Amino acid sequence: MSMPPGAILVMGCGDIGSAVAHRLFKRGASVVLCDLARPAHARRGMAFTDALFEGTAVLDGVIGRFAADLRAMFDLWQAANCVPVVTLREDTLLEAVQFDAVIEATMRRDRLPPDIRSCARFTIGLGPGYLPGANCHVAVETQWGAALGEVVRDHATAPRGGGPKLLEGVGRERFVPAPVGGPWSTTASIGQRVQAGQFVGVIGQTPICAPLSGCLRGLTHDGVEVRCGQRIVEVDPRQPAQIFGLGERPAAVADGVCRALGVQPTH
């Protein structure tokens, strides 16, 4: 197995990490997405997440394909027609491949980000808590606002706050965080239209209902073990709703990553 040119590791296959991988793949990089085996990411229509459940996922014309081991990952890199999505341990990947860059896109909501500087000669931290020179080489701003997508080199990224962008005047109210931890079960599907109060799924014995009427923009995959507080449902009240493709914020962050790497994003 020989390392391909432009090898880049993206940690986290939610909508942010997937958008980054999408942009870099379109630029010809040999990018790989790494995540947990059964992640709770809800915006599956806007990510490569479902490759970990179904084997393949398509995001804005780019295919993500699950690779069970290093050999499968290298084979997909050689084919150069999709983004490999893996659940291999990060240390296993870092031992096997000398990555040109590592991007940390797990967007942790409940703990400080790790120091990723030793992972590669160039590392990029995404999300609150990153400070270039302390836990990454550069960072990219992920908070909504004028600085969204800005490459951060000499100060910390903005602390978490401000809330999500309003959709039809609705902010946090369109999300359902898990009220308890446990196994999540649902027969609903991404893009499905729901009414306010409609049953969507259950965590153990705790029913989960739609917070408002609209389309399911976010829905954690059936069978996933969820933690209390994780967002498992999101309803988009707009008509038409955006369920699939690159979201505005993920695309802006991905463009910032491209600028940090010195390449022009392709749209």
Side-chain angles (χ1 to χ4, degrees):
M1 295 183 293
S2 59
M3 188 186 77
I8 298 176
L9 171 62
V10 180
M11 302 176 185
C13 71
D15 59 343
I16 297 287
S18 293
V20 170
H22 183 284
R23 284 281 197 264
L24 295 175
F25 176 83
K26 296 285 281 186
R27 289 295 299 164
S30 295
V31 60
V32 59
L33 271 170
C34 176
D35 211 317
L36 301 173
R38 299 180 65 81
H41 306 309
R43 290 181 180 169
R44 291 162 29 229
M46 307 170 80
F48 290 116
T49 304
D50 276 358
L52 296 175
F53 297 93
E54 316 299 336
T56 60
V58 180
L59 175 61
D60 224 11
V62 173
I63 298 172
R65 195 177 303 278
F66 175 66
D69 52 31
L70 288 171
R71 168 54 67 185
M73 183 185 79
F74 275 85
D75 287 346
L76 292 178
W77 265 344
Q78 185 173 13
N81 58 8
C82 68
V83 174
V85 186
V86 304
T87 57
L88 299 168
R89 289 172 53 94
E90 292 168 6
D91 56 358
T92 298
L93 289 166
L94 294 173
E95 287 175 7
V97 180
Q98 185 177 350
F99 288 99
D100 293 295
V102 169
I103 296 115
E104 209 283 332
T106 57
M107 304 297 292
R108 292 167 169 83
R109 301 183 63 84
D110 55 356
R111 56 192 185 278
L112 292 175
D115 185 346
I116 58 174
R117 289 174 294 171
S118 63
C119 294
R121 64 180 182 82
F122 191 68
T123 59
I124 303 174
L126 307 183
Y130 272 111
L131 175 61
N135 53 16
C136 62
H137 292 107
V138 301
V140 173
E141 186 56 65
T142 63
Q143 295 278 48
W144 281 108
L148 176 64
E150 177 183 301
V151 179
V152 177
R153 302 182 188 277
D154 58 3
H155 60 275
T157 52
R160 192 174 305 282
K165 185 177 182 180
L166 298 180
L167 303 182
E168 296 288 336
V170 181
R172 288 189 176 90
E173 299 82 7
R174 69 177 185 268
F175 297 94
V176 179
V180 296
W184 163 244
S185 177
T186 181
T187 58
S189 57
I190 288 285
Q192 177 181 328
R193 184 150 190 87
V194 293
Q195 299 299 315
Q198 180 177 331
F199 175 81
V200 176
V202 62
I203 304 173
Q205 301 298 316
T206 304
I208 303 297
C209 299
L212 62 148
S213 298
C215 291
L216 290 175
R217 186 187 201 202
L219 182 72
T220 294
H221 198 282
D222 175 60
V224 170
E225 189 80 15
V226 300
R227 300 194 316 272
C228 182
Q230 283 185 312
R231 289 176 173 176
I232 55 174
V233 172
E234 179 188 3
V235 176
D236 188 337
R238 299 173 295 179
Q239 292 187 4
Q242 184 190 10
I243 309 299
F244 301 100
L246 298 182
E248 180 183 354
R249 175 170 168 252
V253 173
D255 288 346
V257 170
C258 288
R259 287 191 295 272
L261 291 170
V263 299
Q264 290 297 317
T266 56
H267 294 198

